Amino acid sequence: MLLVGLTGGIGSGKSTVSAMLAGRGAVVVDADAVAREVQAPGGAAYDAMVARFGKEILRPDGTLDRPALAAIVFADRAALADLNAITWPAIGAGIAARLTALAETDEVVVLDVALLLESKSLRPDLAGVVVVDTPVDVTVERLVGQRGMTEDDVRARIAAQLSRDERVARADFVVDNSGDRARLEAEVDRCWDWVQGLRRGNGAGAGAGRLGRRSGEG
């Protein structure tokens, strides 16, 4: 397999880009899907999460109340660190199992992880890292308008993540999602061409993605 990482900040459109890449032929390993498994009742992280944060993070049926948990951890860096310490090992094990099953195939595998750059334990050997980049003000506008979040909540979550500049600086390819759907489709086409270049081993590497983004900025 050819393994490519995909990441981006909250509201960047990472999941949309992931789906677009799947539509172009990639196999997506989604860390959020793995996280939901390990955080479900009976999952590897469930009991430890309840022990640390209390039953107020649960819905009446015993499943995780994700907004309630988010309200706690995105207002408290120590709580967020505790959550990551509980969940990352289990998520990493789930990801590893999926990648092992794909290892001997010829697939392009996209590892979709929000915290890809923050956690070495969730970052195996990658052919390259794609970052979906959106200006902060655009992110705030989208999440307030589309998800009904408050601006303060959005900005608190952004502040708890790796900065936009650092994320872009560590990318091998940047997908610019500051425009409309048609522009994003064109960006993903450009990204898919870059991935195919990696597959052919023709040297289409880190600089191509960054330069492509810069030349397209207004």
Side-chain angles (χ1 to χ4, degrees), residues 11 73 88 107 109 135 204:
V73 301
W88 280 2
E107 302 284 2
V109 179

Side-chain angles (χ1 to χ4, degrees), residues 94-107:
I95 288 172
R98 286 161 170 77
L99 294 181
T100 297
L102 291 162
E104 300 304 319
T105 71
D106 292 328
E107 302 284 2

